[in-house]
């Protein structure tokens, strides 16, 4: 059975970090679905398209060429990994992501990404919409303040400037939009493992997630060893 692990949760909950570590540990592919919406926001800006023009955005979503190569994220052959990580790009992503036409246009690409040897997919609707049959579903949360702090450190590490109170406000605004949109709202799948990580270290979160993965896919133990 092809291992499919989904990690959903709000902005800054640490999904991306955990997904990457997990994928590396078990030798699985890693799908950063948020990057797709960020790339679309960027492609729309480059094309001078309004973030509300659903039909045109869906067309761009279908035609843009996306490649993930390690740390590099290529949009039509150009590495834009850094450009799509800004808060501005995150906000544009959250706007285009609220459009059903856009989500429909990106659905198959995401499902096709789940090829051998398996995938760890992080996002908002991985367990509910994109991979409803995934064997392991994690829903990772943390308080808005803690998530803003993590985002702040992440941006600083990348040499991008940030302001903590602004980040808290932006994260809350994004949560609100992601949770209340009509299509694929941010919500745990009914069979997801809920993990509250406000006071947990990355290692502690990873250990619990590894435990969940090995329960569903014991054959992966040979690749990544037991938790701990
Ligand atoms: O996870 P990340 O912050 O990169 O996602 C950027 C935005 O893309 C989110 O705020 C959310 O609106 C949207 N998104 C989504 N569904 C996903 C992943 C991201 O709607 N599966």
């Amino acid at each position: 059975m092809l291992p499919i692990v989904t990690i959903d949760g709000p902005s800054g909950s640490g999904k991306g970090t955990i997904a990457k570590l997990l994928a590396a540990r078990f030798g699985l592919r890693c799908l950063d679905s948020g990057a797709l919406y960020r790339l679309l926001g960027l492609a729309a800006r480059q094309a001078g398209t309004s973030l509300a023009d659903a039909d045109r955005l869906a067309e761009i979503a279908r035609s843009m060429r996306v490649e993930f190569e390690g740390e590099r994220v290529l949009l039509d052959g150009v590495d834009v990994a850094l450009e799509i990580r800004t808060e501005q790009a995150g906000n544009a992503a959250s706007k285009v992501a609220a459009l059903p036409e856009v989500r429909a246009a990106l659905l198959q690409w995401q499902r096709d990404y789940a090829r051998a040897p398996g995938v760890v997919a992080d996002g908002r609707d991985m367990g509910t919409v994109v991979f409803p049959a995934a064997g392991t579903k994690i829903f990772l949360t943390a308080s808005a303040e803690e998530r803003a702090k993590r985002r702040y450190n992440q941006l600083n590490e990348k040499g991008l400037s940030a302001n903590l109170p602004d980040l808290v406000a932006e994260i809350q605004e994004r949560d609100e939009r992601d949770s209340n949109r009509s299509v694929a709202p941010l919500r745990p799948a009914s069979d997801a493992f809920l993990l509250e990580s406000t006071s947990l270290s990355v290692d502690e979160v990873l250990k619990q997630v590894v435990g969940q993965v090995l329960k569903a896919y014991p054959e992966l133990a040979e690749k990544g060893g037991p938790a701990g």
Side-chain angles (χ1 to χ4, degrees), residues 7-12 15-16 32-38 84-85 87 89-98 103 110 122-126 130 151 174-175 177-179 181 183-186:
I7 307 183
D8 290 305
S11 307
K15 308 177 301 280
D32 171 4
S33 64
L36 296 179
Y37 296 96
R38 288 171 182 266
I84 60 165
R85 294 268 69 97
E87 285 308 292
N91 281 323
S94 142
K95 283 183 191 148
V96 300
R103 305 198 73 87
Q110 296 175 84
D122 90 74
R124 304 293 186 291
D125 62 340
M126 298 296 97
V130 180
R151 210 14 90 82
R174 196 125 65 90
D175 284 357
R177 190 162 45 223
D178 290 348
S179 304
R181 67 183 176 216
V183 56
L186 173 63

